[in-house]
Amino acid sequence: MKFFVDTADVAAIKELNDLGMVDGVTTNPSLILKSGRDILEVTKEICDMVAGPVSAEVVATEAKDMIAEGLKLVKIASNIAIKVPLTWAGLTACKAFASEGHMVNVTLCFSAAQAILAAKAGASFISPFIGRLDDINLDGVQLIEDIRTIYDNYGFKTEILAASIRSVNHITDVARIGADVITAPPSVIKAMANHPLTDKGLEQFLKDWAKTGQSIV
Ligand code: E4P
């Protein structure tokens, strides 16, 4: 399973990347706003740091304008994946980019039917938003399972990039199903290390060690 980090915070990406935890990065217009940085500058900095795909999102709504934006974004670095929304215009742009050999991440996917269209349009990644489905009392993890079944039925090569991840359970649930990639905020990835029994066990070991009066170095 590949780990993408869902942020445009360069320091947070660096911390995880130095540990070998980062296979790619996803950004979106809201994350660029949060970073307070210029999209072209911050995306270039991320691409220079991370070897894997870095998704940069178009903001136009017409296919021809998306294509113009995407062609500018891919000039940033060779590891850019152009992110387009799952609209008919986005699928049109996806097909054009894929035909030219560019990586495309089709985002804002909320149904299996949408995911089929993205695969047919040659997307490298489909991004189903599981947290936002859960927010409206639908089942985001079930959507990942449905897309996995459908893609496997027909041998679609598009990678399932589980997005809008809000919890550690989301990550383990979609890992069990066989999502190819997860993208999660740095805080959720770091929370994967937490367990109360680890904390409790460590506390006891340290107490007992202190009683031995020994030191290792
Ligand atoms: C994915 O690429 C998106 O950037 C992201 O996962 C959206 O997550 P959110 O629903 O927490 O904003």
Side-chain angles (χ1 to χ4, degrees):
M1 161 172 267
K2 286 180 265 189
F3 270 22
F4 287 5
V5 193
D6 198 28
T7 186
D9 178 338
V10 175
I13 296 167
K14 184 174 183 327
E15 184 186 359
L16 289 168
N17 194 45
D18 287 349
L19 285 176
M21 299 285 179
V22 178
D23 300 304
V25 173
T26 51
T27 65
N28 64 38
S30 305
L31 294 171
I32 296 294
L33 173 68
K34 199 171 164 191
S35 76
R37 301 276 311 272
D38 173 83
I39 183 172
L40 299 179
E41 283 175 18
V42 74
T43 307
K44 171 88 177 93
E45 210 174 311
I46 296 168
C47 288
D48 287 346
M49 189 193 322
V50 172
V54 174
S55 291
E57 189 160 343
V58 301
V59 290
T61 53
E62 299 296 327
K64 71 172 179 21
D65 301 325
M66 288 181 187
I67 291 168
E69 289 180 351
L71 292 179
K72 181 157 184 183
L73 293 171
V74 289
K75 288 201 181 91
I76 296 173
S78 58
N79 54 336
I80 285 285
I82 307 163
K83 208 172 179 193
V84 299
L86 213 157
T87 58
W88 207 253
L91 292 169
T92 305
C94 174
K95 182 69 184 165
F97 292 137
S99 304
E100 294 296 318
H102 299 302
M103 284 187 287
V104 188
N105 175 359
V106 179
T107 189
L108 290 168
C109 170
F110 294 95
S111 75
Q114 290 181 316
I116 294 170
L117 290 176
K120 300 285 283 180
S124 315
F125 303 101
I126 181 68
S127 289
F129 275 34
I130 63 179
R132 293 192 194 188
L133 282 167
D134 289 358
D135 288 346
I136 58 164
N137 299 318
L138 294 174
D139 190 342
V141 170
Q142 181 62 51
L143 174 60
I144 300 294
E145 192 165 352
D146 292 346
I147 298 172
R148 178 76 284 154
T149 301
I150 292 166
Y151 279 12
D152 288 350
N153 282 348
Y154 298 101
F156 286 130
K157 298 287 176 248
T158 301
E159 292 187 60
I160 302 174
L161 199 178
S164 186
I165 283 187
R166 305 275 166 76
S167 67
V168 172
N169 282 352
H170 272 159
I171 296 176
T172 48
D173 285 347
V174 303
R176 201 177 297 115
I177 290 163
D180 300 289
V181 193
I182 57 102
T183 188
S187 58
V188 177
I189 292 176
K190 289 179 84 173
M192 292 172 77
N194 298 343
H195 199 288
L197 291 180
T198 304
D199 297 340
K200 191 177 169 198
L202 184 59
E203 193 185 343
Q204 187 63 50
F205 287 158
L206 293 180
K207 270 187 195 152
D208 291 344
W209 180 249
K211 288 179 200 157
T212 70
Q214 301 178 42
S215 72
I216 295 175
V217 288

